[in-house]
Amino acid sequence: MKQYPWIRLAAVTGVIVLLTSGCSLLGTKEQSQPIDPPPTGVEPAAAPTITQPVSGKTAQNLAAITVYAKDEKGFIAPIALQVEKSVEVAKTALESMVEGSAASKNMPSGFIGILPKGTTVKGINIVKDQKLAVVDLSKAFTDYNLQDERKILEAIVWTLTGFPSVEKVQLRVEGKALKEMPQGGTPLDEPLTRAFGINLEKQDGVEYGQSTPVTLYFLGQNKDLYSYYVPVTRMIKRTDNVAQSVIEQLIVGPDQKKGLTAVMTPGSELKHIQKAGDLITVDFSDKVLGPDKKAPGNAMRAVVLSLTENAGVATKVQITVNGDAKVSTTDNQSYSKPVSRPSEVNPSKL
């Protein structure tokens, strides 16, 4: 992953990040379906897997999309929803994120659509050669609580950049370009990318201008005991070895005050990590294993999600323990060969 210098700060949650170029950060590209309609030269993704019908619709009329919503702790997290098929799938995704929309009611308990109630998605124009999505929203979009300003931007940017044809997002309201967000003044004079970060946090003693962002996946859980991954962009001391830092920060775990759960076995040790082309090989000591001598399934998935988020979704990950690729996991998944990023993160359970 390239290193990006910070180029400005803004006061909403303390900082708004705009980096000098985008990086392929969920899905950064999740393996997603084409966008409104598929741009020339972009191959449509494989037909989505339909797992559960919605509101009596048949599976043939449904498509899986990943949207970002706010959970009960205030985190923005991905949710894979089933929606009626449409050639304007990106527009459908954003409409699903409006508070009180029919699709938002199918989100897991505790999740809500983050876009202001009454918001209408008037159109999405894809500038193909720039991989830019220009989103036109109704005036109702400007009526939100200040504390949600950054979260709204995170949700829009991370949802739309989940499509292979989009890397940057620009917002308009009633046809006019937004130069800044209306409540807190977050600057929008440049398109936003996933380099904007999500659920941003900073390590103690780290200065934004001398830092490197790494996006990590930890676990959240709602009152119905539905567990889901939450991406957190953590600012750490500047480093050139992002992949190693990702694993080290996963081992450090989440901020204990924020209500997320660690994924790694306590005492886990990284022995070696190497990137060669599109393959990252990460070797743990046997301390990553539980008492049953198996690696936690949640931990292994978080390793793959976090490494591919920061290195690009085309990257594959080979996990070994003491150099042995025959890693047994609690969920009986095979990691004997390099694995790719999953096509869906956090399927909704209705």
Side-chain angles (χ1 to χ4, degrees):
M1 175 179 174
K2 298 178 182 178
Q3 300 305 302
Y4 302 99
W6 292 102
I7 61 175
R8 57 180 162 175
L9 307 176
V12 177
T13 58
V15 51
I16 295 289
V17 182
L18 289 178
L19 309 178
T20 57
S21 65
C23 66
S24 188
L25 289 176
L26 208 72
T28 192
K29 306 293 182 198
E30 314 246 36
Q31 316 272 333
S32 186
Q33 49 275 88
I35 200 166
D36 310 354
T40 303
V42 177
E43 293 185 4
T49 301
I50 305 300
T51 55
Q52 289 181 322
V54 176
S55 302
K57 302 287 186 182
T58 63
Q60 289 79 10
N61 294 328
L62 298 176
I65 58 171
T66 296
V67 303
Y68 283 72
K70 185 170 74 169
D71 74 2
E72 55 196 356
K73 297 183 181 68
F75 291 106
I76 299 299
I79 293 293
L81 291 178
Q82 313 280 316
V83 298
E84 192 167 356
K85 287 182 180 178
S86 168
V87 294
E88 295 184 306
V89 64
K91 184 171 182 286
T92 300
L94 291 190
E95 290 171 342
S96 302
M97 296 159 54
V98 175
E99 182 183 355
S101 68
S104 73
K105 295 174 183 178
N106 292 319
M107 293 178 183
S109 174
F111 281 82
I112 61 169
I114 188 66
L115 300 190
K117 192 171 184 178
T119 297
T120 299
V121 183
K122 306 190 79 171
I124 300 180
N125 179 43
I126 307 301
V127 184
K128 299 176 184 178
D129 61 342
Q130 298 180 40
K131 290 197 168 184
L132 170 68
V134 181
V135 183
D136 190 18
L137 302 164
S138 66
K139 185 173 176 55
F141 173 73
T142 64
D143 186 16
Y144 58 85
N145 293 324
L146 174 60
Q147 62 267 28
D148 283 335
E149 182 164 290
R150 182 180 172 90
K151 298 177 191 297
I152 288 169
L153 292 173
E154 291 174 356
I156 292 174
V157 171
W158 282 62
T159 295
L160 291 179
T161 55
F163 294 96
S165 53
V166 177
E167 291 181 355
K168 299 177 288 185
V169 178
Q170 199 166 60
L171 298 182
R172 296 177 181 270
V173 170
E174 301 292 349
K176 295 183 179 180
L178 269 186
K179 296 300 183 182
E180 63 179 24
M181 288 292 279
Q183 302 294 339
T186 301
L188 298 175
D189 48 314
E190 296 289 339
L192 298 180
T193 72
R194 285 203 177 198
F196 185 71
I198 189 167
N199 299 314
L200 193 69
E201 64 178 41
K202 181 175 70 70
Q203 283 188 318
D204 291 340
V206 172
E207 296 182 5
Y208 284 111
Q210 300 294 322
S211 63
T212 295
V214 292
T215 298
L216 315 165
Y217 283 79
F218 299 116
L219 284 173
Q221 188 177 80
N222 68 5
K223 295 177 181 178
D224 294 337
L225 304 184
Y226 167 64
S227 294
Y228 52 94
Y229 290 98
V230 177
V232 173
T233 300
R234 178 176 292 171
M235 306 309 301
I236 62 173
K237 290 183 179 179
R238 183 173 291 174
T239 178
D240 292 326
N241 196 336
V242 173
Q244 178 176 320
S245 296
V246 165
I247 301 302
E248 290 172 346
Q249 291 301 314
L250 281 178
I251 291 172
V252 169
D255 185 333
Q256 296 298 315
K257 301 186 294 293
K258 294 186 176 181
L260 296 180
T261 302
V263 291
M264 305 301 292
T265 303
S268 293
E269 293 178 341
L270 172 66
K271 295 184 67 176
H272 178 71
I273 190 164
Q274 180 179 357
K275 189 175 189 299
D278 64 352
L279 177 66
I280 297 178
T281 301
V282 52
D283 186 38
F284 294 100
S285 76
D286 57 11
K287 291 185 178 180
V288 76
L289 306 178
D292 56 1
K293 300 303 179 183
K294 293 184 178 182
N298 283 334
M300 298 301 96
R301 286 192 294 276
V303 166
V304 173
L305 287 169
S306 300
L307 286 174
T308 56
E309 188 69 70
N310 292 274
V313 295
T315 302
K316 293 186 177 181
V317 179
Q318 175 70 72
I319 298 174
T320 61
V321 174
N322 289 334
D324 187 356
K326 295 179 180 178
V327 179
S328 179
T329 63
T330 54
D331 57 357
N332 298 315
Q333 297 297 308
S334 175
Y335 290 88
S336 60
K337 296 180 180 179
V339 296
S340 301
R341 188 181 185 87
S343 60
E344 289 184 1
V345 180
N346 301 336
S348 59
K349 298 184 181 299
L350 306 181

